[in-house]
Amino acid sequence: MYQYDAFDRRIVEERAHQFREQVVRRIDGRITELEFKPLRLQNGLYLQLHAYMLRIAIPYGLLSSKQLRVLADVTRKYDRGYAHWTTRQNLQLNWPKLEDVPKILDELAAVEMHAIQTSGNCIRNITSDPYAGVAADEVADPRPYCELMRQWSTFHPEFAALPRKFKLAVTGAAEDRAAIAVHDIGIRVVKSDAGEIGFAFYVGGGQGRTPLLAPCINAFVPEAHLVSYTEAILRTYNRLGRRDNKFKARIKILVKAVGAEEFARQVEEEHAHIAEGPLKLAREDIEGFRRFFRPPMYEVLRDDDPTLAAALLGKDRGLASWFAHNVAPHRQPGYAIVNLSCKSPDLPPGDVTADQMDAVADLADRFSFGALVVTHRQNLVFTDVKKRDLPALYAELTRLGFATPNVGKLTDIVCCPGLDYCSLANARSISVAKQVAERFEELSKLYAVGELHLNISGCINACGHHHVGHIGVLGIDKQGHEFYQLMLGGSSGTDASLGKVLGHALVHDEVAPAVERVVLAYLAHRAGPEETFLEAYRRLGPAPFKEAVYDPARA
Amino acid sequence: MTLLAHDAERGARLVEDDPWLDLSDETPLPSHGDVVVPLARLADVVEAPGRLAARVDGASDPELLAPHLHRLALIVVEIPKFTDGRAYSLARLLRSRHGYRGELRAVGYVLRDQLFYLWRCGFDSFALAPGKDPADALAAFTEWSVTYQPAEDHDVPIWRRRRAG
Ligand code: SF4
């Protein structure tokens, strides 16, 4: 993974120092709260319902075991012993004290971490494919580009006061595991017929109150122009994006208003001026980043490992089920990708305790070259595990509660913090997730429900990505009471789509039973076990599901 | 009003006397002295009494300024809110696209913690928001010893700097 050099270290240290001074000036009154707000936000510090919340950046989700141990330490020392993986591959502390934040930043800086630009109206932490570097369907590893873009966007002087927040995602694979269609800019690495690397740019996607899928504005930007083209988009947006209404300020509104074609033309015009300037990348520039992401020293192994094969046939059906659900194929023979499910019945989705972090760090050292990835579905990934080691790893993960065989399945629920923590929430989300999970633990033992993404947001801001859940749940407020809308048919994958509201809103305790009726209707109507929920919904339309939820007597 | 200036050679300093006379749309031109006029009035000022400056805001179109740049010694950019970042892009366009080399001044809601970015985007003088401590503000320009991306202060991205060793 990327290693800081003296420049990177100096920048993070100077940032920690700067923020410490800003806090001093805030406390002694030289900066007003209003003026302090954008400063603290660009340092990941939110004012939540009960306290400050600190969002720590995990660039493209990649962590070393050493970093994870420091996160555990910070969580224990400055918070209540648990933290939260976000849907943008970051980590949130829910209860730090303002005066402790500079100390936390110092401790993070010591292991090349920070909270820079994890919130505020700036370019946010860049997200990527959790299987980057090991996916079998990859054109090129996206991480060197992510790191390059991280550096370009960090403290970019021109883009620190954008109309609104700005999120980028990069994928290098055929299957989209980075949800690029619902980002301000989604970048897909592509290869031309001549074998040259370039990028397809999707601009103006997003969730929130105006969910939109990003149109492609350029199908092939040459590799050398990755940064200059992005700068041209940002400059166009910074100048022309709306600033009169916070809800109309995202780039998606601009792109929609002028049209994708016209927006693309404006970007091209801007880009023509800067394409050959200092941001143009030389081959060696990219090579300089690529060398940090070379594959680890794999052992030469046979792919059909006999230890694993025997164990899979053994008495423990749990191992087989876990292998089927949580383990993905690797491109190196004899290795596998292992998903750690952070969705157990005991903790709210995405929550993780300091002790669990320490334990996971140890496992990463033992089984996966000391590295791990945080996913946008709030799980963790060990990218390089020997197949031979899978039974041992399974035993350890089971002990820790990370082996629930549900990755990509119904109880692998994506969920925002909701009313329990968030000052913007309309409704609770964690308790809904819990009720659904309880209900389905039994059901999923009985049926192979297959791939099914359930995403829950506590309000229209959509941090729980409800628009792109196969089943989405959105908390809304009706005359001061919490209600929930049910949406079906969303997807953040390669075939991205936005979910549609099924019918009238439900009260809290109706949500889990309604989700259950949806799933039972799917099981009743699917063409066969191979047809996933999403495929069935696309084939059948909403009618049978609507009937199941709202008119169960007839259904 | 506290006025600061900053450039690479001399660093940051307070500017004691500011010769510029700021004129509104209607105020007639004085018989002598350096004047600042709104962008809309620029075309009407055929002959300035002294040096000439234009007042714009972040939303202004640099193309409208372009034909006048050769006769401007100062451009004053009004920043209505510190959260409005259009001035940054405007400054960069004026400097790099249009080659403007005169003074570029940020006025309005200008705070200490924006100064470094404003400077990186091409501003070289700054009228600090009322009530803000000038000594604090002077320190803002030395907070960073290294930056990742090229802007108007330098054109060497960090990856190229690393290669140079
Ligand atoms: S979706 Fe709403 S309730 Fe949930 S975390 Fe985001 S802002 Fe808070």
Side-chain angles (χ1 to χ4, degrees), chain A residues 5 8 14 35 270 285, chain B residues 97 132 145 148 162-163:
Chain A
D5 66 1
D8 301 297
E14 286 175 353
E35 293 162 1
E270 179 60 43
D285 295 329
Chain B
R97 174 98 25 103
K132 296 295 172 186
S145 61
Y148 278 125
R162 287 192 182 110
R163 267 203 285 131

